[in-house]
Amino acid sequence: MTTNSDKAVAKEMVDIMHRPDGDPKLRPIHTNGIGVTGFFKASETAAEYSNSEPFQGNKIPVTIRFSNASGNKTRHDGWSDIRGMATRFHLNGPQDFDLIAMTLQEFFTPDVPSTLEFLKAARPTPYHSATPLQKIRDYLSLKVPKRNRYPHEDLSPDDGGKKYANKHKFAQLPIFQTASIGAPVSYARAAYHAVHTFIITAPNGKRNWVRFTWQPVAGVRPRPIGPDNKPDDDYLNQEIRDRLSDRETARFTLMMSLGEQEDEVNNCTKPWPLHRTRIVMGMLTLNHVLDAKAQESKIEKMSYNPCLLPEGIEPSDDPILHIRRTAYEISSKERHANRCPFAGGQ
Ligand code: HEM
């Protein structure tokens, strides 16, 4: 049940996310993206763990939007940034399934008050380059030295976040990883994590607490840092177009980790240990990049929502997952996108 106070907080979050170099008619974050279609087919094992439609082995059409996380309206594919992968499984049931994932393995904050505080603290600020002396001081005091400014980079996305991380231990891992995350050579050469815990039900009624990750079949490959890296280009869009032309495909396996007793299920700042049992739930095959007209009329007007789940997949009680439901709904309405799946709902 969404309360008026949830709506007020979610609205405040969306307002803060809009950057001065953004565009109110576009998404406040993950502003630049590209739409790709294909299909998902579950593995034979998947149906043993889940009675939900995506995991019964049928070929399910999908629409994916890959994105750069920045809210800057200008594309900068070579800039260091988190990347997003939003997947809609088009199902026969009453409700589709959206699985929204990013290249970071955990989120910055564990609850709603800390998220609001973090978003305010991490607002982009005018860029101040570090002097060579400052960089040496940073090295000597074991601090991550500030990276060089990209051409045309007027706002710094990291400074406020780093100050926040100095005061809040839970935010240190994601903030420091983000500051040095770099850029992938391709949207199809990165792993994407859905971060939250979901609950799935097996045919025998057993419920499992799980987390999902897309693993690229071609392997993870970051772009080398150096003179070859032209920061201002839009190579990621061109690369996926080239890759999927001539009947080529890009593939991802959907990996599902099974939570154990001691794992934090409602705290998305805490990644689960790497040695948790992982089940291969299926294979995603991408084979078509939508044309420019469909990008404009379909993909840029789409409203994904992390709480759009089919029967048999439930949200955990993670407060970040629940506030996202309302935040995405508000953002979609404000940018006049196609109706959010929950618009007019609770
Ligand atoms: C409280 C935490 C969060 C808030 C308030 C938030 C808010 C938003 C908003 C307002 C949008 C634009 C939605 C639209 O206009 O359609 C968005 C997009 C997006 N977010 Fe989040 N987000 C949060 C956490 C996360 C997390 C944990 C992930 C990754 C698991 C994530 C991944 C994405 C992606 C990939 C998109 C782009 C979706 C698309 O392509 O349409 N966000 N977020």
Side-chain angles (χ1 to χ4, degrees), residues 28-333:
I29 56 169
H30 293 271
T31 308
N32 288 287
I34 186 162
V36 180
T37 55
F39 61 90
F40 175 79
K41 192 151 180 1
S43 65
E44 282 181 15
T45 338
E48 288 171 28
Y49 289 88
S50 169
N51 60 13
S52 192
E53 195 189 332
F55 301 123
Q56 302 315 301
N58 304 320
K59 196 169 162 180
I60 296 170
V62 295
T63 307
I64 313 268
R65 182 173 179 270
F66 289 110
S67 54
N68 298 339
S70 170
N72 185 334
K73 65 175 181 288
T74 314
R75 285 194 76 86
H76 295 289
D77 288 348
W79 291 15
S80 177
D81 197 1
I82 297 165
R83 314 291 151 159
M85 177 178 175
T87 306
R88 173 151 307 162
F89 296 71
H90 301 281
L91 303 177
N92 287 319
Q95 206 151 285
D96 288 333
F97 174 27
D98 282 356
L99 189 60
I100 305 183
M102 63 171 167
T103 47
L104 205 58
Q105 284 178 48
E106 63 287 315
F107 191 57
F108 303 97
T109 42
D111 53 34
V112 170
S114 61
T115 303
L116 210 45
E117 195 192 349
F118 166 71
L119 288 173
K120 287 178 189 162
R123 263 193 276 235
T125 45
Y127 207 102
H128 297 292
S129 301
T131 61
L133 186 62
Q134 183 60 49
K135 284 186 185 173
I136 292 167
R137 276 205 199 112
D138 285 347
Y139 269 121
L140 294 176
S141 57
L142 302 181
K143 280 190 200 159
V144 182
K146 196 168 173 169
R147 66 164 168 75
N148 289 337
R149 178 184 188 158
Y150 299 119
H152 313 301
E153 188 179 28
D154 301 322
L155 296 174
S156 165
D158 302 330
D159 293 349
K162 280 185 184 164
K163 280 188 196 140
Y164 185 83
N166 283 338
K167 293 196 202 121
H168 300 87
K169 202 162 176 247
F170 55 75
Q172 288 175 358
L173 179 65
I175 286 173
F176 294 134
Q177 279 179 345
T178 304
S180 57
I181 199 162
V185 294
S186 163
Y187 280 131
R189 302 290 307 264
Y192 299 85
H193 312 273
V195 166
H196 303 286
T197 307
F198 296 90
I199 304 158
I200 56 161
T201 306
N204 64 7
K206 184 173 176 356
R207 294 166 87 228
N208 272 306
W209 272 250
V210 301
R211 288 188 175 178
F212 293 105
T213 290
W214 291 111
Q215 203 64 45
V217 171
V220 170
R221 185 146 186 235
R223 210 171 189 223
I225 297 167
D228 289 347
N229 192 0
K230 298 189 211 84
D232 274 316
D233 57 15
D234 74 340
Y235 73 91
L236 284 174
N237 278 3
Q238 194 51 49
E239 196 278 344
I240 199 85
R241 275 193 213 101
D242 293 346
R243 184 181 284 266
L244 300 192
S245 62
D246 301 329
R247 277 179 265 148
E248 285 291 319
T249 57
R251 293 189 304 156
F252 290 85
T253 42
L254 182 61
M255 305 300 297
M256 183 180 80
S257 299
L258 294 180
E260 293 188 8
Q261 201 85 49
E262 64 267 34
D263 292 335
E264 297 242 19
V265 292
N266 296 325
N267 182 346
C268 55
T269 65
K270 294 270 163 73
W272 289 351
L274 284 174
H275 55 269
R276 287 287 167 265
T277 304
R278 290 182 193 210
I279 316 292
V280 177
M281 293 300 276
M283 178 72 74
L284 177 71
T285 304
L286 303 179
N287 49 22
H288 179 64
V289 178
L290 294 163
D291 64 28
K293 201 168 151 220
Q295 296 291 345
E296 208 51 47
S297 62
K298 192 172 169 199
I299 300 299
E300 291 318 308
K301 291 286 169 198
M302 251 179 109
S303 303
Y304 289 93
N305 194 297
C307 291
L308 184 68
L309 303 171
E311 214 181 313
I313 307 180
E314 300 161 55
S316 59
D317 288 334
D318 182 340
I320 302 296
L321 180 55
H322 289 275
I323 199 70
R324 284 177 74 194
R325 170 182 166 146
T326 316
Y328 287 54
E329 186 183 333
I330 291 170
S331 171
S332 143
K333 202 169 168 192

Side-chain angles (χ1 to χ4, degrees), residues 1-8 10 322-323 325-326 329 345-346:
M1 176 78 180
T2 309
T3 64
N4 282 342
S5 116
D6 289 340
K7 282 189 192 153
H322 289 275
I323 199 70
R325 170 182 166 146
T326 316
E329 186 183 333
Q346 299 165 8

